Amino acid sequence: MRGTPISLLALASVLGGLLFVPAAWPHGGVVEEDDVCIINIGVLKAHFKIYLPRDRGQVQFCEDLPLAGESVFVMEYLHPALNTVPVDFRVIRNTTGLGRFAEFRDIEGLGDLDPLTVFHPPPQRSPGVYTTLHRFETPGDYIGIVRTTLPGSDTVHTAVFPFKVGGHRWSWLPLPVLALLGLQWAWRRLGRHGKRRLATVALVVSMGAGAAPAQAGTATGQAGRIELEYASDPNPPVINRMHDWTLRLRDRDGQPLDECDVAVSGGMPAHDHGLPTQPRVRPAAGEDSGDMTEGGYRLEGLRFHMPGAWVLQFDIDCGAVHDTVAVALEL
Amino acid sequence: MSGRFGKRRIALAIAAPVLTAILVLAWAGYTRGTGPWGERERALIDALWLGHLAALPPDPTNAVADDPRAAELGHRLFFDPRLSANGGVSCATCHRPERRFADTFPQSVGIGPTHRNTPSLVGSAWSPWQYWDGRKDSQWSQALAPLEHPGEQGAGRHAVADVLGNDRWYRERYASLFGTAPGREPVDRVFVNVGKALAAYERKLRPGPTRFDTYAQALRKGVAFGALLTADELAGLRLFIGKARCIDCHNGPLFTNNAFHNTGQLSAPGELPDRGRFDGVNEIRGDPFNCMGEFSDAGPEACGELRFVQDGPETLGAMRTPSLRNLGGTAPYGHHGRIPDLSAVLAHYNEAPEAMIGHNETKPLGLSRQELRQLEAFLGSLDAPPAIEEQWLEDPFNVLKTEK
């Protein structure tokens, strides 16, 4: 029963691996690093991938596309400077005669690019990720050109990457060998995944159910300089309901710490996601909240949207004293 | 005579052990696949029971939210096609009462095409966010957008105000509810009040008890028998709260955490990958009709969700977890309606492909075909019509015609 999906998954992994094969030879501005395709726009980096959603669903391509059709280009910025600047993307027909070895200087030699241009959307300023869509009408050799300029500089950062659309007549040759290697790799990889999944299931099994357990306690910073006393309000917290925490900060000698800046981050490590809200901490000294009057703070806008293991990290800056306190919760 | 008797005895001698074997095997199968629940599992199932759905949460941003006169006004507005550019599209065109207040198109179709699948309105009063990308933070503010959206009703707020001003029934109801005739108020105020009346109606759309709830209720009392749910449904429930990890996001009595997650869905043909919550956060912050805006009837203290909204990179490609209580007859599924049926939805989660943009939070599940079928069977036990008096499901204009 279980054999079928596993072998299908393995096959899918192998096929996925194969489709990345042409990218194993770095050329131009796009290279493969650790199974991820990277575009180097000058010194600025972004994850790069192309999809053929209509024809190939969720299969990613690094550069070369197996067929002409509706293509979605995705650049996920790795350099934050790219979030704020317009990025110019253009596809031209590759008439350099150099095929996949065409480089930046070969583009310069082409002179006016407009007659060769097949696709040139207006420059896009898009925080986080650049996406654009082009439908290739004919197979052939193309060159992608990405350009941008950072504020306060005249330097034009450029990536040039030649790629093929359709027509891999010879590329099936190494397939059998690669298929075997890929299959072996997929089996091993699946084994690891399976183990991890079991571990997570075990975690879920061990977690408390129904009402979340009470959340109050004391935690000491990594540097041992600051002690954080915390209590959820209401306690225990209700899953998926906005609520506050009362906090109290003390130094090593037990003296209350007022006027500290506290930044909160966190999430669920097992799910690779952060907090669903952006909670903030404000001083609450003098407010009527039990004994939390001195060194007292209020953490507002907290919400846990699922049961499981959560981590909250408090970066505390009290001028003379800094520390980072982590609080692990099991909801 | 004796020969016949002997034959019968032989038959019995063969049948008895065979029958026993079948019973033993069936019992073994029963206890292994769907047998009694542990304490933790009972608690997880109980947490999904509709009986735990809190009383209707107040909406302090809408002063008429719980005014029956507003619900009556909203009911008629909801079905009124005059509130559209072509006079043929009402809220009920896409939010069809007989389809759990959703529809059967991949993407909503109003006076033109749109980009997203119609979400059900049942239970939406319990959600702090409206729309797939949560670009609205109240039901009344959500109700305004389709009235002006060029693909939905496209009427514009002036046309909406005119419809109210020129209809005697509306004029009288509006004046008695809001204290001023619609013609004497600024157009934005009339527009907002239309949204608030619509919301007062939509707040009544409470999910109804399903077969699952009957089972969960019986389980609380300790009298749950397998017969309330089939063996496949029970096995699916076990997967739902366990191995398949559905309950991570589809939790609570509405089967949703109302949070935003990237689940790696494919982009629609001819469209760029949907940025989802990433854009939704920007929209809600700039929306004059949000909780902090001048048209809200509450102070900023009621706007915790908006004030502490998460806008980090994880919102890229994230969409709101839909409730699983209104799946019946509302296929196709997903924010683009690109997933034809429930088995395809489950296959997608089982595979958990890498997201086109952002990061798919789900992980491959490795479920067998049988397990996927059981999950699908369980989802079938979550469907029921909304718990609301029949009169609210009917088109008041049809009722008017029949009465004449």
Side-chain angles (χ1 to χ4, degrees):
Chain A
M1 262 297 168
R2 298 181 53 82
T4 321
I6 289 174
S7 58
L8 276 177
L9 209 74
L11 191 69
S13 307
V14 172
L15 285 175
L18 287 178
L19 292 162
F20 261 89
V21 164
W25 301 291
H27 46 95
V30 175
V31 292
E32 199 183 327
E33 293 175 8
D34 299 331
D35 281 350
V36 180
C37 223
I38 300 289
I39 185 165
N40 294 299
I41 312 162
V43 295
L44 310 169
K45 283 177 188 286
H47 281 158
F48 182 81
K49 47 194 181 176
I50 314 173
Y51 289 88
L52 299 163
R54 282 178 197 253
D55 303 299
R56 294 294 162 90
Q58 307 205 233
V59 180
Q60 295 177 26
F61 300 92
C62 190
E63 288 185 296
D64 292 357
L65 299 174
L67 50 91
E70 190 175 292
S71 315
V72 174
F73 292 79
V74 178
M75 287 188 276
E76 290 177 310
Y77 298 149
L78 298 174
H79 199 294
L82 286 166
N83 292 337
T84 55
V85 293
V87 172
D88 184 73
F89 178 69
R90 182 197 288 257
V91 176
I92 62 169
R93 273 181 281 117
N94 187 350
T95 55
T96 58
L98 297 166
R100 64 173 66 247
F101 299 104
E103 289 175 22
F104 180 56
R105 59 172 181 273
D106 305 313
I107 306 299
E108 287 183 310
L110 293 173
D112 184 11
L113 297 179
D114 286 349
L116 301 173
T117 299
V118 294
F119 178 56
H120 190 197
Q124 230 188 77
R125 195 194 310 259
S126 49
V129 60
Y130 178 102
T131 51
T132 192
L133 182 149
H134 176 61
R135 189 177 172 81
F136 287 96
E137 300 296 340
T138 50
D141 283 336
Y142 295 90
I143 299 177
I145 307 166
V146 180
R147 282 191 178 129
T148 192
T149 312
L150 297 184
S153 151
D154 292 334
T155 315
V156 180
H157 299 273
T158 309
V160 171
F161 59 95
F163 63 101
K164 258 183 197 304
V165 174
H168 290 274
R169 274 185 299 276
W170 48 268
S171 63
W172 59 271
L173 276 171
L175 290 202
V177 179
L178 287 165
L180 279 173
L181 285 172
L183 203 65
Q184 200 185 0
W185 168 81
W187 274 116
R188 264 190 311 175
R189 191 159 173 268
L190 203 81
R192 273 212 308 276
H193 266 275
K195 276 175 217 151
R196 201 182 305 162
R197 209 175 54 231
L198 273 181
T200 335
V201 169
L203 185 79
V204 170
V205 165
S206 67
M207 86 193 179
Q215 299 302 333
T218 309
T220 310
Q222 285 158 12
R225 297 202 184 98
I226 295 180
E227 196 180 68
L228 169 75
E229 193 184 323
Y230 61 92
S232 172
D233 175 20
N235 198 11
V238 180
I239 295 286
N240 218 9
R241 187 169 303 163
M242 209 66 141
H243 67 288
D244 296 355
W245 278 18
T246 51
L247 310 176
R248 189 171 185 175
L249 299 178
R250 283 186 293 264
D251 67 10
R252 227 188 315 220
D253 307 319
Q255 292 305 308
L257 287 166
D258 289 308
E259 290 169 25
C260 304
D261 284 329
V262 186
V264 191
S265 56
M268 299 188 82
H271 293 253
D272 298 336
H273 69 64
L275 299 171
T277 59
Q278 290 193 79
R280 286 190 289 269
V281 173
R282 62 171 179 82
E287 281 182 24
D288 185 21
S289 53
D291 61 346
M292 297 259 192
T293 44
E294 277 193 321
Y297 296 81
R298 203 155 177 89
L299 168 59
E300 297 177 315
L302 199 57
R303 177 153 59 83
F304 302 110
H305 60 271
M306 56 174 83
W310 290 82
V311 175
L312 286 182
Q313 183 177 311
F314 299 85
D315 292 303
I316 306 168
D317 178 358
C318 306
V321 198
H322 302 241
D323 209 342
T324 300
V325 183
V327 174
L329 321 167
E330 193 65 41
L331 297 179
Chain B
M1 263 309 246
S2 69
R4 231 150 118 219
F5 194 71
K7 260 187 205 163
R8 202 181 280 177
R9 217 193 273 172
I10 292 165
L12 204 74
I14 296 169
V18 167
L19 217 75
T20 315
I22 288 172
L23 280 173
V24 165
L25 284 174
W27 174 249
Y30 173 78
T31 44
R32 224 190 20 236
T34 60
W37 304 99
E39 196 181 325
R40 189 196 72 91
E41 287 162 326
R42 277 210 306 276
L44 288 176
I45 294 168
D46 189 55
L48 296 167
W49 178 48
L50 188 63
H52 287 305
L53 189 64
L56 194 60
D59 180 0
T61 70
N62 181 359
V64 300
D66 295 310
D67 189 320
R69 294 171 303 164
E72 195 192 0
L73 174 57
H75 181 210
R76 197 176 286 200
L77 290 165
F78 190 86
F79 285 88
D80 195 338
R82 289 175 296 170
L83 304 176
S84 64
N86 66 3
V89 178
S90 70
C91 306
T93 304
C94 298
H95 298 289
R96 296 166 56 191
E98 74 280 14
R99 292 285 179 180
R100 311 284 184 257
F101 287 84
D103 64 16
T104 55
F105 294 109
Q107 289 111 34
S108 324
V109 181
I111 60 172
T114 70
H115 298 288
R116 299 249 176 87
N117 184 258
T118 307
S120 170
L121 296 179
V122 179
S124 58
W126 280 265
S127 176
W129 303 106
Q130 307 297 329
Y131 282 119
W132 284 101
D133 57 7
R135 64 182 183 275
K136 289 289 188 177
D137 62 352
S138 67
Q139 284 180 300
W140 65 263
S141 156
Q142 185 283 323
L144 300 176
L147 295 170
E148 298 202 307
H149 189 284
E152 296 180 57
Q153 287 163 277
R157 57 194 75 176
H158 287 274
V160 169
D162 284 348
V163 170
L164 270 86
N166 296 330
D167 180 302
R168 196 170 143 211
W169 191 91
Y170 280 144
R171 217 167 41 231
E172 286 172 7
R173 302 292 158 137
Y174 184 100
S176 91
L177 187 61
F178 298 107
T180 322
R184 295 175 182 223
E185 287 209 288
V187 74
D188 279 357
R189 178 59 64 183
V190 180
F191 188 50
V192 162
N193 285 340
V194 163
K196 288 180 178 172
L198 282 166
Y201 167 63
E202 290 171 8
R203 279 166 68 75
K204 300 179 96 54
L205 306 174
R206 191 187 175 98
T210 63
R211 286 196 297 120
F212 162 76
D213 296 303
T214 312
Y215 179 80
Q217 190 173 13
L219 195 64
R220 304 189 94 215
K221 295 180 184 155
V223 293
F225 299 107
L228 290 170
L229 292 177
T230 68
D232 268 356
E233 287 167 346
L234 286 170
L237 171 57
R238 189 179 289 283
L239 290 164
F240 190 90
I241 61 172
K243 186 178 172 187
R245 308 187 56 186
C246 312
I247 203 169
D248 282 359
C249 295
H250 294 285
N251 53 36
L254 285 175
F255 287 79
T256 172
N257 58 1
N258 285 316
F260 300 87
H261 300 283
N262 185 331
T263 56
Q265 289 185 26
L266 189 65
S267 61
E271 288 186 32
L272 291 174
D274 200 322
R275 289 167 167 257
R277 184 59 172 162
F278 192 89
D279 289 345
V281 171
N282 286 331
E283 280 195 49
I284 185 65
R285 280 188 171 146
D287 189 339
F289 301 122
N290 72 19
C291 183
M292 309 276 274
E294 58 170 308
F295 297 100
S296 163
D297 297 325
E301 71 284 350
C303 308
E305 291 285 350
L306 184 58
R307 280 160 58 216
F308 300 105
V309 66
Q310 177 59 265
D311 59 2
E314 283 170 23
T315 58
L316 195 60
M319 297 287 177
R320 193 161 61 91
T321 311
S323 169
L324 300 179
R325 283 195 175 269
N326 304 291
L327 297 175
T330 65
Y333 301 109
H335 56 269
H336 283 306
R338 298 278 300 150
I339 312 186
D341 50 38
L342 289 178
S343 72
V345 172
L346 294 167
H348 175 81
Y349 283 113
N350 204 28
E351 185 195 354
E354 205 172 307
M356 292 178 75
I357 59 169
H359 150 79
N360 185 350
E361 287 178 34
T362 67
K363 307 276 183 294
L365 295 169
L367 299 175
S368 69
R369 268 182 292 184
Q370 187 189 0
E371 289 172 320
L372 292 172
R373 213 181 51 237
Q374 291 166 335
L375 270 173
E376 191 180 346
F378 169 65
L379 291 177
S381 76
L382 297 180
D383 189 49
I388 183 173
E389 299 89 340
E390 188 63 27
Q391 72 194 77
W392 296 104
L393 299 174
E394 280 164 13
D395 180 343
F397 293 94
N398 281 345
V399 177
L400 285 179
K401 273 176 221 154
T402 357
E403 278 171 3
K404 276 173 196 168

